[in-house]
Amino acid sequence: MPHHSWRLVLVLAGAAAATGGAAAASDGAPAVDPAPRKVDGARGCVETIRFGVVDGIAPLSVAPATAWLDDAPDLCFAWYRQPSGPVALEKISNGDLDFATMGSVPFTTAIERGAPVSAIGILAIQLSAEGLATRYGLQEPRSLRGSTIATVRGSTSHYMFEAFLLETGIDPRDVTLVFAAPKEITRLWDAGAIDGAACWTPTLDHVLATPHGATGTPALVVYDAETLRRWGYRTGVLLVARDDFVARLPDVAQRVVERVVRAAYAYNTNPNSFDWTAGRYADVVGRSFWLELGNETTFSRAAVAEILTRNTWPGILEQMGFRGTMGAAILRRQAAFLFAQKDLAETPYEDAAPYLDRIDISFLSEARLLQYETIPLDADPDPVPDFVPYAVRAQMPVPGEGCESFTVLDDENATFDDGSTGEHAYARNANCVWALRAPATGCVALDVPFLSSEGVRDRVEVFSATGDLRATFFGRRGGHPTTVGCVVADAPPPGVAAALVGGAAPDIEGVGLYVRWSTDDEDELAMGAIEPVGFRATARAIEPQERICGPGRGGALCDAPYCVGVVEVTGEGGVIKTQVADDAYQPNSRCAWRIPARGGRVVLDVARLGLERVRDVVTIYDGAAATPGFGALAQPVPFPVFELLRRKYRMSGTHAPTVPLVVDNDVFVTFESDGIANRPRDGGPAGLEIRWRRDAAESTLCPEVASCGRNGRCEEGVCVCDTGYYGETCAFDTCVGAAPWRVAPSGRIVSNAGADYSPGQFCGWPLNIPGREGESIAGIRLRFDRFDIEAPEGQATTTDRAVVFYSVGPQQGSVLCIFRRVMSQQGQTSAGAAVDPATDETKFTFDDGDTLEVLLPEPAAAGANVQLMLGFETDANNHRPFSGFDVTYGVAFDGPAFCDERWPCAEGEVCEDDRCVDEKPRKSKHSRSRRQLRRMKRGVIVAMIVFACVIGLAFCVFGGIYGARVVRTKDELETERVRVVRDQVDSARQWVEDFQAPFCVVAADTFIALGALRPHEALRDGPRDADDDECDKQHTRLEFYDSVDDVERARRGGAVFVFLSHQWLGHAHPDPAGIHYKAMCRALQAVAEDAGVALSAVRAWVDVSSIPQANQATQSLAVASLPTFASCVDYFIVVAPDTEHVTTGCGCDAATYRKRAWCRAEVVACWARRGADRMFVATNRGLRPLFVDTGDGVDTYLEECLEVFAGDLTCCRLQHPDGEPCDKEALVPPFLGLIAELYRDRKQRPEAWEMVSDRVDELFPRTFSYESGGAATTLPLFGDLVEAVTRLVDSESAGDAPPDLVLRGLAPGTTGQRHVAAKAHRGGARSESGRRLASTPTSTTAGPPGRAPALALLRTVSAAHRRAGAASQRASSSELSFNDSSGMATGERTTGTARPGGGVGLAPGTARPGG
């Protein structure tokens, strides 16, 4: 496979058949004890290097089966299969791996979270090894709506799928996304539970090769990584190493990088050789790949060769090029995606430095590496050996090996293990429990001298006799502390053994400790220098001892410099710490401290809080009982209302509370961390330090222990907080846990008084609604006076929600209703939504102030109280501040409505005894006789009749006068509107007949001699400074053509005109690296050869050289003339080689070119006048025809380009700052003129008119949506001008009706001339065509000699508009609003009362927001 340009690899595209993750670095990683390394005397391995490989094939795959990297005297490599990048990221972060391959998206996660790793190389750029495959019938993007797609969360596949939805306009909420591991994805596909999968090889191959489990239909590819790369979404697979390993063994890292480069070079230079297609390299690569999949015997060398072609393998320069601003921009874009998907809690970095710091190219930049890249694999030094027996095997479980589900050990010195033997892997899905009886001493000590497991997923847990978690051991780290357990004096709680086993198990007397070994269904399938795995533990008798560890130390013997398990805290006060050192706490920590109140209260001062935000948390519970995850008996339940009510405080991040935290009960403090980064992202001391003390029960909270501050008041020794403030001392302006019980039929709840609520939080407000004798409670009424929580927008997801729980037991509840914020279908506004918890479907939406009623499954018993809870769950981040919710609640009885000051009765009802009843009718105090009333009625009727007659006569007189005036006004308005339409049509037809600015070209030989694209002024004026180079002095000529006739005369003289159309590759320069310039030179030489003329006879038009760059007015006129310029040339060439934009990092090629509206306009203008015979595209593969007939006479490229007004425009993307006109308006006059020519010549060129005639309304829309300053307005674009053109052409050819007569009833469109004038009189603008407009003073410049200047035409049309506007004002004074016959708004708004069928309308120009 040939090398790709190193500039291409700067974008970090796809990967070595693997997706997944990576991680970034932070200073001072947690101290990790070295794991037990294998010592192999026969092979001489003193240390084994652990290399994690995500599923896939790469040229480096020659190494595992040949031990190619094991050439150091005492180092060997073990290769561990990883299911995905996010999993590999966690393992390398916590020290279980030394190297890992992973995708760029998880690597971005590592950077943003501060993991202690760096990328030292790029393995591959993916092409078709990753993508989306769906069952048959779902290949069109729109068909994905309502489908279920599986992917790996946080992987490059996940990123590409969300990007695909964004680019194709699919709302992510219309697709159900299932997150699963690759193995689970294959199961779901085989079962028919999903419609498709966004994944990579080999999971992608399985989906494509296996019929869908439900429909039996095959799968097809919707997109692959190469497609998304061309759309600007770059991903890739990186070689990642732990920072501490690289610092300790830099020579090993250098050797690994050398082998990566050498293997990639060997494949790239001859991918079709026998060695790579059917020989020794295909053999050893195949053995490695199929061993990864657990198949030791079956593989196909042909399949290996095919899989290798699905990626490109970058060399040294390509890899080094990634460390630059473009690489940082790619990673930053992926970080924004991760933040939107809630995989990051912190706002992504804005600077490039944090990204570049994690890309280490020092090993790639070694001088000798360039020579090393050219050495064949079978040559010295270090040739690739043949496969070796010890390496060609996979470490897999052996059937029958494993452990019993429950074992009782009575020996004073007992040894037990996981049941695997030799180098076999341990059993999957194991759950084995050992009950260790205490010997005569009463206590037993547990030591774990050997443990090697697959991270935290496979672990050893130690529990006390009462079920408390004492320790958790996992991974490949050594130095596990001793755990001690003693027989409890009182009888232990029953059911501990059964809870650990997960089934029936007897309660055993005299147990000191329980040990549980649990594994998942994944297996790393190690290869190479296989290490023993599993665990071995010993139990021994020990004397009882009281040992109080110092702050930050754990373990029964205080030998661990970090916290371990649940600790019983003693004394009257002390310090709680997560670790001794301040640099980092342990990964995957589960620590807890139980502090007894002894009848008083516990006061906690948080001296230090330095945790990774949201991911690592400390929680303070009310009560001594262990919570789920910290006790065998604390099993999770579906809706743990009881546990939620115990949660008093939940803290994360670095902002420690400045006031004491007080709990009037025993306290259970928990600390949990994950396995990636164990420190705050932005530095500072890490970990938790709490100073606690116990206060006597006689003391009052306020004012003795603490103050209530400014946000509460002290009542009877307790702080009563203001609305929206929380905590025992009212110190928090957002909810932090469970609030006290509220016993009242109504009340008010405010989530937060601050500007934003906390992410990663769960708050609860328990409500005890009192019943009433003889009445049943049916539910609760809610009125959200403010409901401002995060709603999903674009790619941003959210799980923020308010939940109403209903208590169904002492510890459980059921969910009655869920409230979320949802976006409208247009994505412009959001509203509250009530969601059915069973189906997750929206029942209805509501606005602030609406009253909602949440009903119980059935009314409560008469007179019974009802316990409810309003919960508030938030996710990892808020993309902007949200003010939360302010809700008023009230009981809903199964009968008359409840009422109080918060819940007034409806009109016609009054509140009596807290119930709404009908208002009783009032009797009149001054009654009159029926006779008097009848007399008064008759008098009133007579007076009304007389009054009506007088008024009617007046209206008849006035109506006649007014009607005549209305008719006259309508005639005047219609005349003015016809005049405006005629002016617009005439000016458009004149627009394309000649240039609006000079047509500037440069001779092809001069252009080629320039050496680069030069600006217009440099070619026009020549060198201005003495030090200008010789090229400028010799070649500084531009040729000017003032009219189309001038061009025709030159053409007759032998000149050949070429229009070079391209997309700019930078904001400051159109072609910074000269890529387009070189393609242009080749294209001009091809044109000269095709036309049979010398280069000097070829005239080239190219934007930056032919359009003025300094004078704003002349530049604007030239830009507006682009369609006319493009339509008068002999050759039209699209210059679009595959490259990328140097500023944005997005890909630029033929596909992105035709997405731009101005590019489409140039193509269509040339086609409309000159046909498609001499229209070409210049790519990396040379010059080829622009349009290709598909067999039915229709070219999809042309069909797409015809949609000019649906193309991308920068002005629309920027939402027209300062109300500037839209570029679509500038395109109306030339295209209207082209339409007139196509219609006029429809008999000579019927195929051209047929292409547009059936799509007129689609291609030339009547209106368009104009957005500026966040407001959207519908404005006229073509209006009825297309119909006006066809009517005028028909009228002129027939000569049977005056032009003004055929235009009656037609609405004008926008005024493109206004667009040009606005652009010409504003400095610093940027045209959508990509041509830079300099910020210089403007001047009004006339057009070419011999014809009316363009700005004079503007004045003519503007005068007509002013006359129409005056007439419109006269009409508005008569209280009439005029609309056109089609009902479309056609211009400035008029005041007054609209009447049905109200006449004709007037559209003098385009109205913009603000007038």
Side-chain angles (χ1 to χ4, degrees):
M1 182 174 294
H3 279 295
H4 281 236
S5 164
W6 70 274
R7 296 183 180 277
L8 263 180
V9 181
L10 291 179
V11 298
L12 181 66
T19 301
S26 61
D27 296 328
V32 177
D33 295 329
R37 303 283 183 166
K38 176 185 178 182
V39 178
D40 190 330
R43 296 177 49 209
C45 296
V46 174
E47 182 170 2
T48 301
I49 311 301
R50 297 171 179 134
F51 202 123
V53 181
V54 179
D55 289 340
I57 287 181
L60 185 63
S61 298
V62 300
T66 62
W68 188 32
L69 290 174
D70 299 8
D71 55 1
D74 55 356
L75 299 178
C76 301
F77 277 76
W79 304 77
Y80 289 93
R81 171 181 176 255
Q82 305 300 309
S84 66
V87 173
L89 166 60
E90 183 174 355
K91 291 179 183 177
I92 194 173
S93 298
N94 64 31
D96 286 345
L97 297 173
D98 304 310
F99 296 94
T101 64
M102 57 186 65
S104 56
V105 173
F107 178 68
T108 303
T109 300
I111 294 175
E112 292 291 343
R113 294 185 58 184
V117 299
S118 296
I120 61 174
I122 302 174
L123 288 182
I125 300 170
Q126 283 186 306
L127 302 176
S128 60
E130 187 170 6
L132 170 66
T134 60
R135 60 180 175 83
Y136 183 79
L138 296 182
Q139 279 64 59
E140 289 294 328
R142 61 178 178 272
S143 65
L144 292 177
R145 293 187 175 95
S147 64
T148 300
I149 305 297
T151 191
V152 178
R153 185 182 184 97
S155 65
T156 53
S157 290
H158 182 197
Y159 170 67
M160 284 191 285
F161 179 72
E162 295 286 352
F164 177 77
L165 296 182
L166 179 67
E167 289 295 320
T168 55
I170 305 297
D171 191 331
R173 294 166 290 178
D174 293 339
V175 179
T176 301
L177 202 57
V178 175
F179 296 117
K183 182 185 293 186
E184 182 62 21
I185 290 176
T186 62
R187 293 172 184 166
L188 293 172
W189 174 261
D190 294 347
I194 57 176
D195 298 307
C199 53
W200 58 92
T201 300
T203 307
L204 183 64
D205 290 348
H206 176 89
V207 172
L208 292 172
T210 308
H212 187 249
T215 63
T217 56
L220 297 175
V221 174
V222 179
Y223 66 78
D224 57 19
E226 184 178 21
T227 302
L228 271 296
R229 180 181 64 83
R230 291 181 179 276
W231 291 0
Y233 296 91
R234 269 59 174 178
T235 57
V237 168
L238 307 179
L239 173 61
V240 178
R242 276 190 62 87
D243 293 335
D244 56 358
F245 178 88
V246 171
R248 184 169 65 90
L249 296 172
D251 292 342
V252 176
Q254 183 68 55
R255 187 162 79 249
V256 171
V257 174
E258 288 174 353
R259 304 302 164 84
V260 169
V261 170
R262 188 171 170 186
Y265 173 79
Y267 178 81
N268 290 334
T269 53
N270 200 356
N272 297 319
S273 66
F274 177 78
D275 280 343
W276 287 107
T277 57
R280 60 192 298 253
Y281 299 149
D283 179 67
V284 294
V285 168
R287 291 176 184 272
S288 299
F289 180 58
W290 265 260
L291 284 174
E292 286 182 21
L293 305 182
N295 188 332
E296 294 187 82
T297 58
T298 304
F299 71 93
S300 165
R301 297 179 184 181
V304 171
E306 190 277 327
I307 293 174
L308 283 170
T309 64
R310 300 179 187 178
N311 309 285
T312 59
W313 316 101
I316 296 175
L317 294 179
E318 290 94 333
Q319 296 183 53
M320 292 180 62
F322 181 64
R323 193 186 186 281
T325 57
M326 191 172 302
I330 293 167
L331 296 177
R332 189 161 48 233
R333 184 176 190 177
Q334 296 175 6
F337 157 78
L338 291 165
F339 185 78
Q341 294 294 311
K342 309 302 179 183
D343 290 324
L344 297 178
E346 303 275 6
T347 303
Y349 293 114
E350 294 184 0
D351 297 332
Y355 301 98
L356 300 181
D357 289 345
R358 295 295 93 203
I359 303 172
D360 184 358
I361 62 172
S362 61
F363 300 109
L364 288 166
S365 59
E366 285 287 329
R368 62 190 176 91
L369 201 59
L370 284 174
Q371 291 103 18
Y372 199 90
E373 186 180 41
T374 63
I375 302 174
L377 290 183
D378 56 359
D380 290 328
D382 306 323
V384 173
D386 293 330
F387 71 86
V388 293
Y390 71 81
V392 188
R393 55 186 175 158
Q395 189 174 35
M396 294 185 292
V398 174
E401 291 190 354
C403 46
E404 300 292 334
S405 61
F406 186 67
T407 305
V408 179
L409 296 180
D410 296 310
D411 298 341
E412 289 192 2
N413 293 285
T415 299
F416 56 97
D417 56 36
D418 61 276
S420 61
T421 63
E423 294 178 338
H424 298 158
Y426 47 77
R428 305 183 181 106
N429 296 311
N431 190 72
C432 304
V433 177
W434 291 266
L436 308 183
R437 286 184 186 271
T441 58
C443 297
V444 61
L446 177 75
D447 296 301
V448 183
F450 171 74
L451 172 64
S452 179
S453 73
E454 189 182 348
V456 74
R457 292 164 177 77
D458 304 335
R459 59 184 181 267
V460 174
E461 296 170 292
V462 186
F463 296 86
S464 69
T466 59
D468 281 344
L469 177 70
R470 288 295 187 224
T472 303
F473 307 130
F474 56 88
R476 303 185 179 95
R477 293 172 292 158
H480 304 297
T482 299
T483 308
V484 174
C486 299
V487 178
V488 295
D490 300 329
V496 174
L500 293 174
V501 171
D507 292 322
I508 308 298
E509 295 182 0
V511 172
L513 290 173
Y514 290 97
V515 180
R516 178 168 65 183
W517 164 249
S518 57
T519 66
D520 63 9
D521 66 346
E522 288 284 352
D523 196 335
E524 288 183 309
L525 297 174
M527 298 176 293
I530 294 176
E531 304 173 282
V533 295
F535 84 96
R536 184 178 68 256
T538 60
R540 54 188 170 86
I542 191 172
E543 295 291 336
Q545 51 187 304
E546 280 290 333
R547 188 185 293 266
I548 300 176
C549 298
R553 291 201 166 270
L557 305 180
C558 304
D559 51 351
Y562 48 83
C563 63
V564 179
V566 178
V567 177
E568 304 284 345
V569 177
T570 60
E572 297 299 314
V575 177
I576 292 173
K577 290 185 68 175
T578 52
Q579 80 278 357
V580 174
D582 293 340
D583 54 353
Y585 41 88
Q586 281 296 103
N588 298 110
S589 294
R590 276 194 292 166
C591 306
W593 297 266
R594 182 179 284 115
I595 306 175
R598 297 177 184 171
R601 64 169 56 89
V602 177
V603 181
L604 305 103
D605 286 297
V606 182
R608 180 174 79 234
L609 184 67
L611 309 180
E612 186 187 7
R613 190 180 184 192
V614 175
R615 304 302 177 189
D616 305 333
V617 296
V618 57
T619 309
I620 299 173
Y621 291 93
D622 185 337
T627 58
F630 294 89
L633 298 177
Q635 298 298 320
V637 292
F639 303 106
V641 174
F642 179 77
E643 291 296 340
L644 294 174
L645 296 181
R646 289 184 54 203
R647 186 183 294 175
K648 303 298 292 184
Y649 301 97
R650 184 176 176 88
M651 296 174 290
S652 186
T654 57
H655 298 292
T658 57
V659 298
L661 308 179
V662 183
V663 180
D664 288 321
N665 198 355
D666 298 340
V667 170
F668 192 75
V669 181
T670 65
F671 168 66
E672 299 172 87
S673 69
D674 69 1
I676 294 183
N678 307 114
R679 62 177 67 245
R681 186 183 77 161
D682 298 325
L688 172 72
E689 181 178 343
I690 295 179
R691 304 181 186 277
W692 69 275
R693 71 177 188 273
R694 186 183 296 111
D695 281 353
E698 295 77 17
S699 62
T700 59
L701 174 61
C702 61
E704 295 182 41
V705 177
S707 168
C708 301
R710 295 178 299 176
N711 306 317
R713 60 189 183 280
C714 186
E715 294 183 1
E716 299 179 356
V718 178
C719 291
V720 178
C721 300
D722 296 340
T723 302
Y725 290 91
Y726 295 93
E728 297 291 338
T729 58
C730 310
F732 299 92
D733 62 359
T734 183
C735 62
V736 290
W741 277 94
R742 300 186 179 205
V743 183
S746 70
R748 180 185 175 207
I749 297 172
V750 177
S751 62
N752 52 289
D756 193 11
Y757 54 79
S758 297
Q761 190 64 269
F762 186 98
C763 305
W765 293 267
L767 310 175
N768 191 347
I769 308 296
R772 190 165 184 172
E773 186 176 355
E775 294 187 76
S776 298
I777 296 177
I780 187 173
R781 287 194 292 170
L782 301 174
R783 184 178 66 246
F784 286 96
D785 297 312
R786 181 181 74 246
F787 191 68
D788 181 31
I789 68 174
E790 188 177 18
E793 300 179 22
Q795 281 189 306
T797 62
T798 182
T799 57
D800 294 357
R801 62 180 190 168
V803 185
V804 178
F805 291 97
Y806 171 45
S807 177
V808 294
Q811 297 186 17
Q812 296 190 58
S814 63
V815 177
L816 292 180
C817 191
I818 297 172
F819 299 100
R820 294 193 182 114
R821 196 82 182 169
V822 297
M823 298 299 295
S824 65
Q825 290 296 328
Q826 293 75 24
Q828 298 174 351
T829 59
S830 63
V835 179
D836 186 342
T839 63
D840 201 39
E841 295 180 354
T842 299
K843 292 181 176 179
F844 56 84
T845 59
F846 60 90
D847 296 319
D848 291 353
D850 290 348
T851 297
L852 317 175
E853 195 168 70
V854 180
L855 299 179
L856 304 178
E858 57 184 27
N865 290 6
V866 170
Q867 292 184 346
L868 302 171
M869 186 175 75
L870 178 64
F872 184 36
E873 297 178 88
T874 63
D875 55 31
N877 63 60
N878 296 336
H879 68 269
R880 64 172 178 82
F882 294 91
S883 58
F885 61 79
D886 181 347
V887 62
T888 301
Y889 68 89
V891 62
F893 286 105
D894 190 17
F898 168 80
C899 58
D900 63 4
E901 67 278 1
R902 297 186 181 91
W903 294 96
C905 295
E907 186 177 354
E909 295 180 334
V910 295
C911 188
E912 293 183 1
D913 195 20
D914 297 338
R915 300 296 182 274
C916 292
V917 298
D918 292 337
E919 186 176 8
K920 298 178 181 179
R922 300 180 179 180
K923 296 182 179 180
S924 175
K925 297 181 180 180
H926 305 285
S927 59
R928 293 179 173 85
S929 66
R930 294 180 179 177
R931 185 178 302 172
Q932 290 174 325
L933 290 174
R934 286 195 297 270
R935 188 180 300 120
M936 291 179 63
K937 288 180 181 179
R938 285 195 297 268
V940 170
I941 291 173
V942 171
M944 291 177 64
I945 292 173
V946 173
F947 180 75
C949 292
V950 174
I951 294 299
L953 180 61
F955 265 99
C956 289
V957 175
F958 178 77
I961 299 172
Y962 180 77
R965 183 177 179 182
V966 167
V967 171
R968 185 169 59 254
T969 301
K970 286 184 178 181
D971 289 341
E972 292 175 355
L973 288 174
E974 182 63 23
T975 301
E976 290 293 334
R977 186 168 68 168
V978 168
R979 184 177 303 161
V980 170
V981 172
R982 180 64 183 273
D983 286 345
Q984 289 185 331
V985 172
D986 290 346
S987 64
R989 297 175 73 178
Q990 295 172 10
W991 192 283
V992 297
E993 290 177 358
D994 219 332
F995 304 141
Q996 306 303 312
F999 182 56
C1000 305
V1001 295
V1002 59
D1005 55 345
T1006 301
F1007 181 84
I1008 292 174
L1010 293 176
L1013 290 181
R1014 302 300 176 97
H1016 175 87
E1017 287 73 16
L1019 298 181
R1020 181 194 65 192
D1021 302 334
R1024 298 186 178 185
D1025 301 318
D1027 57 349
D1028 280 353
D1029 58 39
E1030 288 300 321
C1031 180
D1032 279 339
K1033 294 179 181 179
Q1034 295 175 14
H1035 303 283
T1036 54
R1037 296 200 307 274
L1038 276 177
E1039 297 181 10
F1040 293 81
Y1041 296 87
D1042 293 327
S1043 67
V1044 175
D1045 291 339
D1046 292 344
V1047 173
E1048 290 298 330
R1049 280 193 295 271
R1051 182 179 286 116
R1052 289 193 296 269
V1056 176
F1057 291 89
V1058 182
F1059 190 101
L1060 298 172
S1061 179
H1062 72 126
Q1063 181 182 358
W1064 277 35
L1065 302 182
H1067 288 164
H1069 193 280
D1071 189 27
I1075 295 174
H1076 279 185
Y1077 172 77
K1078 294 176 183 177
M1080 291 175 182
C1081 292
R1082 292 193 296 268
L1084 291 175
Q1085 291 169 342
V1087 166
E1089 182 178 352
D1090 182 73
V1093 298
L1095 274 174
S1096 58
V1098 178
R1099 301 291 184 266
W1101 187 100
V1102 60
D1103 51 9
V1104 69
S1105 301
S1106 301
I1107 292 180
Q1109 302 296 301
N1111 187 285
Q1112 195 72 51
T1114 56
Q1115 182 193 65
S1116 299
L1117 291 171
V1119 170
S1121 301
L1122 283 176
T1124 308
F1125 292 161
S1127 66
C1128 71
V1129 296
D1130 301 290
Y1131 288 83
F1132 183 95
I1133 298 178
V1134 173
V1135 181
D1138 293 350
T1139 182
E1140 59 197 28
H1141 198 282
V1142 299
T1143 307
T1144 65
C1146 296
C1148 295
D1149 54 19
T1152 60
Y1153 168 89
R1154 65 175 181 264
K1155 288 180 178 292
R1156 313 298 297 172
W1158 277 100
C1159 295
R1160 292 180 178 183
E1162 294 167 358
V1163 171
V1164 173
C1166 182
W1167 166 82
R1169 276 195 165 177
R1170 316 292 292 188
D1173 292 341
R1174 292 188 175 182
M1175 300 184 72
F1176 300 92
V1177 58
T1179 66
N1180 303 74
R1181 294 171 293 279
L1183 208 62
R1184 60 179 177 82
L1186 183 61
F1187 303 137
V1188 179
D1189 195 336
T1190 58
D1192 55 1
V1194 178
D1195 181 83
T1196 55
Y1197 194 110
L1198 177 58
E1199 283 190 326
E1200 184 176 356
C1201 288
L1202 283 173
E1203 299 174 1
V1204 174
F1205 294 89
D1208 296 341
L1209 289 166
T1210 302
C1211 63
C1212 295
R1213 178 172 59 81
L1214 300 178
Q1215 294 193 347
H1216 309 95
D1218 301 323
E1220 70 174 11
C1222 182
D1223 280 355
K1224 292 179 182 179
E1225 302 174 63
L1227 288 168
V1228 168
F1231 269 84
L1232 190 61
L1234 291 174
I1235 294 169
E1237 291 187 356
L1238 285 175
Y1239 186 72
R1240 181 195 63 198
D1241 302 333
R1242 63 189 182 280
K1243 294 182 180 179
Q1244 290 77 23
R1245 295 183 61 202
E1247 74 287 348
W1249 177 247
E1250 288 174 1
M1251 288 285 292
V1252 300
S1253 59
D1254 294 335
R1255 304 173 61 193
V1256 167
D1257 291 338
E1258 174 191 356
L1259 301 180
F1260 312 110
R1262 294 166 55 84
T1263 62
F1264 74 105
S1265 179
Y1266 177 90
E1267 295 186 16
S1268 181
T1273 309
T1274 299
L1275 298 179
L1277 192 60
F1278 277 88
D1280 292 332
L1281 294 179
V1282 175
E1283 184 176 354
V1285 163
T1286 58
R1287 288 187 185 183
L1288 277 176
V1289 171
D1290 289 340
S1291 174
E1292 292 169 355
S1293 60
D1296 56 356
D1300 290 350
L1301 184 60
V1302 300
L1303 298 180
R1304 294 185 68 84
L1306 299 182
T1310 186
T1311 306
Q1313 294 94 329
R1314 177 185 65 82
H1315 179 284
V1316 177
K1319 290 275 188 179
H1321 289 81
R1322 178 168 56 254
R1326 183 180 294 275
S1327 169
E1328 169 54 34
S1329 61
R1331 286 78 178 169
R1332 183 175 180 271
L1333 309 184
S1335 299
T1336 56
T1338 61
S1339 62
T1340 302
T1341 307
R1347 61 183 177 87
L1351 294 186
L1353 178 60
L1354 300 183
R1355 290 191 289 271
T1356 301
V1357 178
S1358 299
H1361 288 178
R1362 284 195 298 272
R1363 291 194 300 271
S1368 178
Q1369 292 177 359
R1370 292 195 301 272
S1372 66
S1373 65
S1374 303
E1375 297 187 354
L1376 282 177
S1377 175
F1378 296 100
N1379 301 307
D1380 67 16
S1381 57
S1382 65
M1384 179 185 70
T1386 54
E1388 307 286 354
R1389 294 183 177 179
T1390 57
T1391 58
T1393 304
R1395 298 182 179 180
V1400 296
L1402 181 66
T1406 301
R1408 300 202 313 273

